[in-house]
Each structure stands twice: as structure tokens, then as C-alpha cells.
Amino acid sequence: MDGESEKVGVLVISYGSRAAAVIDALSRSEDYKVCLYVADKQRNPFNVKHAEKHVVIPDLDVGKICEFVEANKNEIDFGICCPEKPIIEGVRDVVESKTGVAMICPTKRYAIEGSKASQRYLIEKCCAEANPEFKVFHRTEYASVSEVKGSVWGFLDEIGNEVAVKPDKPTAGKGVGVWGDHFTSREQLFDHFSSIFESDSDVLIEEKVEGEESSFQAFCDGKRISALPDTRDYKRAFDSDMGPNTGGMGSYKDNKDWLPFLDKSGREEEEKLVQKIFNELSGNGGNEGLRGVPFYVAFMHTGEGAKILEINSRPGDPEILNVLPVLKNDFVDVCFRMIEGNLSRIECEEKATVVTYAVPMDYGGYRRIYGGDKRVDLSGAYMLQKKYGDNLRIYPGSMELREDGATYALSSRTVCTVGIGENIEEAREISLAGVRNIDGALWNRGDIGASYYIERSIKRMEELRTKAKG
Ligand code: GLY
């Protein structure tokens, strides 16, 4: 860092490895000397090491975050919120109005992951072709369970039993039930439906769409969206997509903007759909409420085109970890541009990246219980950076630095390694080498970005297109 770099104070609201990657991208700025103020779920060792000031707020309560900002507002130029909970609870509205510190995340009103039903109505309005068949069962419309049951049966008669049942409210992937995975009869489906309905949430039933998934993310300054390269998330716990859904066991990105089973036109289709949603929400003059990553969209590419599975209003975890390490733009500059409303094109190195998460023994049902030692030692993985340099990144997530100086795994995804290479295979080898050099009782999927997995996706996509042509 040269002596002339401008000093910038940045608040980062942290949950998991995603925030460590954001902190790394900010810290690597060549144009600014960044002082970090981190509001963290726990004492993440990476964040503690990099922060000027670090505070633990286990429930990420908006009021407590705001107190931390208030106490340091003279040093903080702007803030970034990574996790969804504070965004949905209006952290931007509260921090901006009480402290004047500009926040990078959507306002409460535009945290569109707050309601899955509202998302479907929005998509219906501006790009209905991307909606699967769906129906929202509003609690206020039914006097009794038998009334709603009749209505559920009626909808299944229309679209068939192959459906997904989802709570309107966000539940971090939990609560979503899918025909064939979570139920195989209408009675079981309705049990699942009732458990959501009775827990005070409206319920969606959606046609189950078959295809290949991609994750689309874009930065936004309110006036325009600047798309990031596509990534593929691996949601299931075990290799070959077996086991329960998790927060995401890893992800890959190719050395171009689209994934191997898509082509440029598939990517353009995604961009056009997201642009339509942005146009609807931004109006003609733009809309500052959308600042941040308002559209992290899970697409399902089917034989009949792209369908939107869901929209989140924050960066994806792990998906943003595929992108931030290969940004060509200075990330602090990107942040200032998002706030000032003059965002330009985002450029990434033409590199592939693979993220592999190492998780606790009892995560994702790998072991039913684990009561052993939870210490995790990352020094072996850091040593490996001597060999791979910046092509290996190590981002601690759900782990904690304790008084004894050691680091411990908590309950969620512990740590991830990001491999960067000329192609996916090279990136994968580096990512896996990193994971293999972490000492601790952790496990990981071995097939993130594996060529056989990707070839299967390519074949499946070809079959779906052929079938659709008839
Ligand atoms: N990759 C899943 C999520 O960020 O929600």
C-alpha cells in the first residue's frame, strides 16, 4: 500500500464465508486503504484479523448494528450488508436514517426475497414466461383446513402432482417440500402444506420444473444493473446431488460469463429477464432502493427456456465467492459507484473458479451426532498458498476464534477454499488441495465442478432441448 492511498472506513455486516470474501476484496484495493468495521455473528478469525473494530452481534439485530455504526460513524464511509435477515428487517433504512451512513443493500421495500408470493406476482407482471405454474394459498382466504384442502386438490388436478410446496416467508431453504423428495402422495403433500399453513405463513404450490440450474447475480446502483458471470451452486449435501438441501456445499464458474451447459444466448435470455424485472421496479428515473445485489436469481434452464426458481436480494453464498476473487475492477471503487449512481461494466478475469465448503460432521446429516473435538486448524491450507499464491483463497465461515487462541467449528458451513485456474478442472484441483490441508473433523463434497458432473449437465440440457423440439 503506498502512502498516498485514500483512507476509507467500511462497515461489513457479516454472516459466513461470504463476508470474509467481501472483506478480502475490499482489503485488496490498490486505490484505497480500507479500515474495516465488522458487525459479525461470531468471532470469525479472518474478520477479526482484518478489522479495525469488530463487534459480535449473534442475532444480527438491526438496532444493535445501528448502535455500532452510530458509535463509529465519523470513521465509516459506507456499509455493506451480506446476509438476508438484516436486509429484510430494514437495516439500510434504519442505518441511513439514523446515522447518515450510506448502505449497500436494498431497502426493506425492495428486499424482494421477503415474500415468495410477491416475487411470483412481480414476475407474472413483467416476464410471465419465466414463471412456472403456481398458486398462492393466502391464509386470509380460507375459513378452515378442509376448505384449503379442497382448493389444493383442485390445483393439483389442474397441474398434476409434480410440484414444490413453499412457505411465503424466507426460511433459508428449509420448509420447501418437493414431490418425489419429500412426499410421494397427496396426503403427505398436504401434511407438509398444513405444517407451513398452520405456522402462520401463506403457502405457494409451484409446478416442479426439470432442468439445469444457474445462479445469476448483478450489482446495481439503482439506475442500471451490471451483471456478474453465472455460477452453479451445489445445494444437496452429498456427491451426485444426494441427500438433503443445504446452504450450498460449493459452486463453480467457468472462464467466461456463462456455464458449460449454456451458450451465449442462454446467458442473454437470463439478462433480458432480469432487465425486465429491474425496469418494472426502477421506473424511468431509476430507484436507489435497489442498490446492492437486488437480483441474485436462481434460474432453471428447461427445454422451453429459463424459469425463475427464486430471487434473492443479496449476494449468494457460495456464488459470490466465485466472482469477487477474479474481479478486475477495484471493489472499493465499485462500491462508491453503486452509492453515487455511476456504476459501469464489471469486468472479471477470464478464469474459472471452484468453491468447496468443508462442513461439520453433523452438517447435512453426514453423521447423526458428533460430540468430538471441534478445533479446526487452517495453517496447512495457508501454507499451501506458498505454492498456489493468489489462486487459492481460504475463507472461514461458521468458525470462531476463542480465548485459547484456537479456532473452532460452529454449526453451519465452517470454511471454504476457492481455487482459481485457467479452466474448471484446474480450479477444482486447487480448491480440493486447499480443503485436504485443513486439519479438523470436517467433511466436504468431492464432486464440485467435476468434469463428469458437468458433462452430465451438458447431456441433460441437450436432451431437454431435443425433447422440447418434439
Ligand atoms: N446459495 C444459496 C444462497 O445463497 O441462498
Side-chain angles (χ1 to χ4, degrees), residues 70-197:
E70 181 67 34
N72 297 285
K73 70 178 177 192
N74 294 336
E75 280 74 49
I76 299 177
D77 291 278
F78 62 85
I80 303 179
C81 184
C82 303
E84 62 268 30
K85 180 178 168 282
I87 301 177
I88 293 167
E89 290 172 358
V91 73
R92 171 154 162 211
D93 314 54
V94 175
V95 169
E96 289 190 346
S97 68
K98 291 205 170 154
T99 71
V101 170
M103 290 295 296
I104 298 177
C105 64
T107 55
K108 185 172 183 169
R109 177 161 181 205
Y110 292 99
I112 54 179
E113 70 182 288
S115 163
K116 290 193 184 67
S118 307
Q119 283 185 26
R120 285 287 169 229
Y121 295 136
L122 172 68
I123 298 165
E124 203 60 15
K125 194 166 176 201
C126 44
C127 49
E129 68 276 21
N131 253 345
E133 296 268 352
F134 76 99
K135 184 172 167 73
V136 183
F137 297 83
H138 294 281
R139 286 177 55 82
T140 48
E141 285 171 18
Y142 298 93
S144 66
V145 173
S146 59
E147 209 176 288
V148 72
K149 189 169 189 177
S151 191
V152 168
W153 255 231
F155 187 57
L156 296 177
D157 288 344
E158 267 176 52
I159 71 161
N161 291 335
E162 301 265 319
V163 296
V165 179
K166 300 179 174 179
D168 174 48
K169 293 178 185 163
T171 50
K174 296 177 191 87
V176 176
V178 180
W179 183 273
D181 290 339
H182 303 97
F183 33 75
T184 48
S185 72
R186 282 196 182 188
E187 287 299 339
Q188 287 170 353
L189 183 157
F190 192 69
D191 284 346
H192 186 86
F193 181 101
S194 303
S195 68
I196 305 170
F197 202 69

